[in-house]
């Protein structure tokens, strides 16, 4: 490359960067880019394809919104955003309009008349950004429409939907590669918060993005505290957790089945929590109503199956609780990632027990999927179990799983200071003898009585427990005559359950689901039985010492505000609620908690001072500036 060309390229890059900054500041009210945002935006503005992998809350949307605005200013047309979640398009578009961006969407919820207005606006160049559902985009009619006016870029959001291993798989996504062929020269950006390398490769292959530049951020979510507790009385544990740390705050509770969603929501309501159910078995109107309330009102707890949540943009979800084990670490990370998009302290809490393992293994085995799929699913579940049973830093394990070994190593002893294992290190013990007892009990039952049994019966035999439900089975099978009968009597049933679970997680015991969750020995069992391998396990503690370290105050959105600032923050929140109702948009679309806090701290008494705060763009300043300055001057609740 000659020097002259290099200089010219650099000056184009600088001017693109300057333009991008100007838009960031003027439209969105932010002072600077975060992480890879700036580089990715300049790359796309200048016509490059990009693959953007950033955790939830990192700010992926700006990575296509700003290039679309910059390219629009350069006369290059309207940006097209492919997004699978039509229920959310409305809110995304409202938020952009609040910032003065000319955005619209096309999906099946629009009337024919409204859709043709949007089409007309697109043709006449009156739009900056157009959101389209993938199935609609792929229709010949829509492709024709997009050929009728310039398109500045294609953003493919939630790009992991092309992966058939993920639970968000959408067949239509496989066909999106045609955009590259049909619209050559139009940059394409694929975005996802799914972090595993296999999905990354699938996205590149299936979307034909071989030439795209990748922008990969660390997937650490430092503001999320991970905690996994032993499931004893799950609902009770859940309500205690909510009351202790999250009263009146927004959260999501995930359950595996629809029935459990309904029951749990009803229970929480009974306990005085504002909870709503969400699952695919409800009629779509009720489902949407609940989703809208969750997004708009303050402090709603959504109890849901995993049908809920992809692309949920609500920034102030303060906790995600799992009452059932997710099927994979990818799922766990994605679901927990919905907490704390705004960067404030949040919790990822899960109650997990032996039954979860048995149930999930059975679901995998009983599905009609191919053997390969079952194998992959089984391996993913094993990794998830490993995370649950770990005695070391959960965050380090998560990051290592997603290939960020460096990030985990960089912590030295891997103490993140913000997960249960780091805050209250679990006690471990030499469990070699206990595991040998368990393994030989499984072995004797099979060898001498010709049968295999599930965990509960094996535990009853180990404990010599004739009073349990297993009494009949013990008598009929003469299990009390086995040499292993009662050899583990000194441990409680709960202790044994914890041991069995860990043995399954670490591969010392296998569960066979085709025969009702019976326990079997594995290749690893031999070494332990022969005394060649020692086993350390975490000790079961009944009321595991709960969180130290963080007090309720850290979780309060008003934290760090002194008396009068806190009063102003409350006043601003009531003003925001009233305004959002008036406009029919979610409260966070008007201003985020973080911006309201800044206002409460800085007390700007001029429009210019207000405009300097983060999150206050030109359009919002124009629309709300005066009202806010008046509120600050009064310094108290309106009315
Ligand atoms: P993602 O799609 O990656 O989950 P979003 O695009 O929804 O994240 O952004 C998360 C939040 O961070 C949003 O509220 C957004 O306005 C805010 N945000 C994004 N980029 C910046 C930035 N450069 N400065 C300040 N706030 C930002
Ligand atoms: Zn940790």
């Amino acid at each position: 490359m000659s020097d002259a060309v290099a200089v010219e390229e650099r000056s184009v890059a600088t001017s693109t960067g300057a333009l991008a900054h100007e838009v960031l500041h003027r439209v969105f009210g932010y002072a600077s880019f975060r992480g890879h945002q700036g580089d990715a935006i300049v790359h796309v503005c200048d016509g490059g394809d990009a693959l953007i992998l950033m955790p939830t809350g990192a700010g992926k949307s700006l990575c296509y919104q700003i290039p679309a605005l910059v390219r629009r200013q350069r006369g290059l047309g309207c940006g097209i955003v492919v997004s699978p979640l039509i229920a959310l398009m409305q809110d995304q578009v409202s938020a952009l309009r609040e910032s003065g961006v000319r955005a619209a969407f096309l999906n099946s919820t629009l009337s024919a008349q409204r859709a043709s207005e949007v089409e007309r606006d697109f043709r006449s160049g009156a739009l900056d950004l157009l959101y389209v559902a993938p199935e609609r985009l792929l229709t010949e009619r829509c492709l024709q429409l997009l050929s009728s006016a310039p398109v500045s870029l294609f953003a493919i959001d939630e790009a992991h939907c092309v992966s058939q291993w993920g639970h968000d798989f959408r067949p239509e996504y496989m066909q999106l590669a045609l955009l590259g062929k049909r619209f050559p020269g139009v940059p394409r950006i694929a975005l996802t918060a799914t972090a595993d390398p296999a999905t990354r490769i699938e996205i590149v292959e299936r979307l034909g993005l071989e030439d795209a530049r990748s922008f990969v951020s660390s997937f650490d979510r430092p503001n999320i505290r991970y905690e996994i507790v032993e499931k004893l009385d799950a609902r009770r544990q859940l309500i205690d957790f909510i009351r202790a740390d999250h009263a009146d705050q927004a959260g999501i509770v995930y359950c595996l089945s629809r029935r459990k969603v309904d029951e749990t929501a009803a229970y929480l309501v009974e306990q005085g929590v504002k909870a709503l159910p969400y699952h695919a078995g409800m009629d779509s109107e009720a489902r949407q109503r609940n989703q809208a309330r969750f997004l708009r009102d303050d402090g709603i707890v959504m109890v849901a199956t995993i049908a809920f949540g992809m692309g949920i943009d609500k920034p102030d979800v303060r906790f995600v609780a799992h009452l059932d084990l997710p099927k994979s670490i990818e799922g766990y990370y994605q679901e927990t990632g919905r907490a704390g998009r705004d960067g404030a302290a949040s919790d990822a809490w899960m109650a997990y027990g032996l039954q979860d393992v048995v149930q999930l293994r059975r679901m995998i085995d009983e599905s009609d999927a191919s053997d390969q799929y079952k194998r992959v699913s089984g391996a993913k579940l094993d990794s998830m179990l490993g995370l649950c049973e770990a005695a070391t830093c959960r965050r380090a394990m998560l990051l290592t799983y997603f290939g960020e070994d460096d990030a985990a190593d960089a912590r030295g002893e891997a103490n993140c200071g913000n997960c249960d294992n780091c805050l209250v290190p679990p006690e471990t013990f030499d469990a070699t003898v206990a595991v040998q007892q368990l393994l030989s009990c499984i072995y004797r039952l099979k060898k001498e009585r010709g049968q295999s049994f599930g965990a509960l019966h094996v535990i009853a035999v180990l404990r010599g427990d004739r009073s349990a439900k297993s009494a009949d089975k013990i008598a009929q099978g003469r299990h009390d005559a086995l040499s292993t009968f009662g050899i583990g009597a000194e441990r409680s049933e709960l202790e044994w359950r914890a041991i069995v679970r860990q043995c399954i997680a670490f591969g010392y015991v296998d569960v066979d689901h085709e025969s009702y969750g019976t326990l079997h020995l594995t290749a690893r069992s031999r070494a332990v039985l022969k005394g060649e391998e020692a086993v350390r396990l975490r000790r079961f503690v009944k009321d595991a010492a709960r969180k130290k370290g963080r007090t309720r105050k850290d979780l309060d959105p008003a934290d760090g505000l002194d008396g009068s600032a806190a009063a102003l923050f409350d006043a601003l929140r009531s003003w925001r609620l009233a305004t959002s109702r008036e406009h029919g948009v979610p409260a966070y679309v008007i201003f985020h908690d973080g911006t309201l806090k800044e206002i409460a701290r800085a007390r700007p008494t001029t429009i210019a001072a207000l405009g300097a705060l983060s999150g206050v763009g030109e359009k919002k300043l124009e629309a709300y500036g005066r009202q806010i300055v008046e509120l600050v001057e009064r310094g108290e609740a309106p009315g």
Side-chain angles (χ1 to χ4, degrees):
M1 190 190 290
S2 78
D3 281 357
V5 175
V7 168
E8 183 171 319
E9 287 207 338
R10 208 173 309 132
S11 78
V12 169
T14 331
S15 70
T16 304
L19 214 54
H21 255 106
E22 192 273 326
V23 172
L24 175 76
H25 191 73
R26 174 171 50 84
V27 178
F28 298 96
Y30 296 137
S32 54
F33 288 119
R34 287 182 184 159
H36 292 299
Q37 272 180 336
D39 290 341
I41 287 170
V42 167
H43 178 72
V44 177
C45 284
D46 289 340
D49 291 342
L51 173 61
I52 295 182
L53 299 125
M54 290 182 181
T56 305
K60 282 183 290 302
S61 326
L62 290 188
C63 294
Y64 58 82
Q65 290 166 350
I66 292 183
L69 293 171
V70 168
R71 286 173 68 82
R72 160 58 84 201
Q73 283 182 28
R74 292 178 171 167
L76 294 170
C78 171
I80 306 298
V81 186
V82 186
S83 164
L85 279 165
I86 59 176
L88 299 171
M89 283 184 191
Q90 172 93 61
D91 288 339
Q92 286 165 338
V93 165
S94 309
L96 284 167
R97 290 208 176 152
E98 279 288 329
S99 298
V101 176
R102 299 175 303 166
F105 63 88
L106 276 178
N107 66 36
S108 53
T109 65
L110 289 187
S111 67
Q113 196 203 334
R114 180 72 197 119
S116 65
E117 282 166 20
V118 171
E119 292 177 6
R120 193 196 56 213
D121 287 347
F122 171 79
R123 281 200 197 87
S124 67
L127 292 180
D128 301 321
L129 272 167
L130 176 60
Y131 285 71
V132 189
E135 58 280 3
R136 185 157 185 136
L137 177 83
L138 290 163
T139 61
E140 198 44 45
R141 180 189 158 88
C142 190
L143 291 168
Q144 293 274 346
L145 172 74
L146 299 186
S147 305
S148 69
V151 171
S152 64
L153 58 83
F154 286 102
I156 302 170
D157 206 2
E158 313 288 353
H160 60 278
C161 291
V162 294
S163 165
Q164 56 180 326
W165 304 116
H167 51 63
D168 295 329
F169 176 55
R170 307 259 169 156
E172 319 83 74
Y173 261 64
M174 304 267 255
Q175 294 171 52
L176 292 175
L178 72 77
L179 293 177
K181 302 195 182 79
R182 233 171 128 147
F183 300 88
V186 177
R188 288 174 301 145
I189 316 148
L191 307 104
T192 180
T194 300
D196 64 310
T199 308
R200 200 174 303 177
I201 293 166
E202 269 187 287
I203 292 173
V204 169
E205 275 174 7
R206 301 221 162 132
L207 296 179
L209 282 170
E210 285 79 7
D211 296 331
R213 200 168 132 194
S214 293
F215 298 89
V216 184
S217 303
S218 166
F219 277 76
D220 189 15
R221 300 286 312 277
N223 61 316
I224 298 184
R225 172 171 298 186
Y226 298 98
E227 181 177 19
I228 300 177
V229 304
E230 181 105 37
K231 195 187 277 185
L232 299 167
D233 176 356
R235 293 198 309 192
R236 189 78 241 160
Q237 289 168 289
L238 174 68
I239 189 76
D240 289 347
F241 161 73
I242 293 177
R243 285 200 181 125
D245 293 337
H246 296 290
D248 297 321
Q249 294 183 335
I252 305 174
V253 178
Y254 282 111
C255 304
L256 200 56
S257 70
R258 296 168 185 185
R259 206 177 99 195
K260 190 154 164 191
V261 164
D262 288 331
E263 288 170 3
T264 307
Y267 171 79
L268 289 179
V269 169
E270 228 171 75
Q271 299 293 318
V273 176
K274 281 192 284 175
L276 297 170
Y278 185 104
H279 57 69
M282 295 162 56
D283 71 74
S284 76
E285 206 178 300
R287 217 164 53 211
Q288 272 185 21
R289 199 169 47 235
N290 286 357
Q291 175 166 309
R293 276 197 58 199
F294 175 73
L295 291 174
R296 275 144 218 257
D297 292 5
D298 276 337
I300 302 267
V301 173
M302 188 67 115
V303 186
T305 59
I306 56 170
F308 176 75
M310 196 199 0
I312 285 289
D313 270 341
K314 192 174 169 60
D316 55 356
V317 175
R318 291 275 69 88
F319 71 91
V320 170
H322 280 92
L323 286 190
D324 292 301
L325 187 67
K327 295 190 184 74
S328 65
I329 289 189
E330 287 88 338
Y332 173 74
Y333 177 81
Q334 210 175 84
E335 285 142 29
T336 54
R338 289 166 190 146
R341 270 178 181 249
D342 54 8
S346 309
D347 272 301
W349 180 91
M350 171 157 85
Y352 141 85
L354 184 56
Q355 223 23 55
D356 287 305
V357 187
V358 175
Q359 190 181 10
L360 276 186
R361 284 259 161 92
R362 189 166 55 225
M363 278 172 64
I364 293 173
D365 282 337
E366 286 174 354
S367 79
D368 306 326
S370 68
D371 283 349
Q372 192 201 2
Y373 185 90
K374 287 185 186 177
R375 248 195 327 275
V376 173
S377 308
K380 288 187 179 234
L381 179 56
D382 288 343
S383 303
M384 186 65 222
L385 293 180
L387 177 69
C388 293
E389 296 298 356
T392 55
C393 176
R394 312 256 191 219
R395 187 180 313 276
M397 280 196 81
L398 277 172
L399 293 176
T400 305
Y401 183 81
F402 292 123
E404 284 186 47
D405 296 344
D406 302 351
D409 288 346
R411 291 176 205 290
E413 297 197 287
N415 187 323
C416 75
N418 202 24
C419 78
D420 51 357
N421 287 349
C422 287
L423 290 165
V424 185
E427 206 184 309
T428 60
F429 70 109
D430 181 347
T432 313
V433 172
V435 174
Q436 285 171 337
Q437 290 174 338
L438 168 68
L439 297 176
S440 61
C441 189
I442 295 170
Y443 177 77
R444 294 274 153 221
L445 280 165
K446 172 81 181 162
K447 171 119 195 287
E448 291 169 28
R449 297 295 183 264
Q451 247 187 309
S452 298
F453 295 87
L456 291 188
H457 186 68
V458 173
I459 292 172
V461 175
L462 274 169
R463 300 187 64 239
D465 184 358
R466 293 171 205 273
S467 64
K469 282 179 232 152
S470 297
D472 287 350
K473 252 191 245 169
I474 288 175
Q476 278 162 21
R478 289 176 297 107
H479 295 162
D480 45 3
L482 293 172
S483 60
T484 51
F485 186 77
I487 51 171
E490 80 286 0
R491 293 183 196 280
S492 69
E493 186 185 332
L494 286 174
E495 280 175 83
W496 274 115
R497 282 194 195 206
I499 293 169
V500 172
R501 254 190 2 246
Q502 295 178 75
C503 284
I504 296 171
F506 303 138
Y508 296 112
V509 171
D510 193 21
V511 188
D512 179 358
H513 306 282
E514 276 164 17
S515 56
Y516 310 100
T518 53
L519 302 184
H520 299 268
L521 300 191
T522 69
R524 280 195 87 176
S525 314
R526 252 182 93 80
V528 180
L529 275 173
K530 287 170 70 184
E532 291 164 7
E533 185 179 335
V535 186
R536 277 202 89 76
L537 296 179
R538 54 191 290 170
R539 192 185 291 290
F540 170 77
V541 237
K542 185 130 194 263
D543 289 307
R546 289 248 8 244
K547 340 187 152 220
K548 292 181 203 155
R550 188 164 76 209
T551 57
R552 173 89 176 83
K553 188 169 162 287
D554 307 307
L555 292 164
D556 192 323
D559 91 79
L561 297 179
D562 62 24
S564 68
L568 179 55
F569 178 70
D570 282 345
L572 288 162
R573 283 197 0 146
S574 345
W575 166 83
R576 178 179 68 178
L577 187 63
T579 310
S580 70
R581 292 241 162 100
E582 218 171 89
H583 294 214
V585 297
Y588 65 81
V589 162
I590 307 283
F591 283 118
H592 282 184
D593 276 354
T595 303
L596 294 191
K597 251 198 238 178
E598 278 211 29
I599 299 174
R601 263 193 220 108
R603 298 184 164 270
T605 49
T606 63
I607 302 276
L610 176 63
L613 300 181
S614 179
V616 189
E618 185 180 69
K619 181 75 191 299
K620 289 189 183 176
L621 195 61
E622 190 185 304
Y624 308 123
R626 190 154 307 281
Q627 295 175 48
I628 290 183
V629 167
E630 276 172 15
L631 245 156
V632 169
E633 279 171 346
R634 257 184 294 150
E636 58 195 29

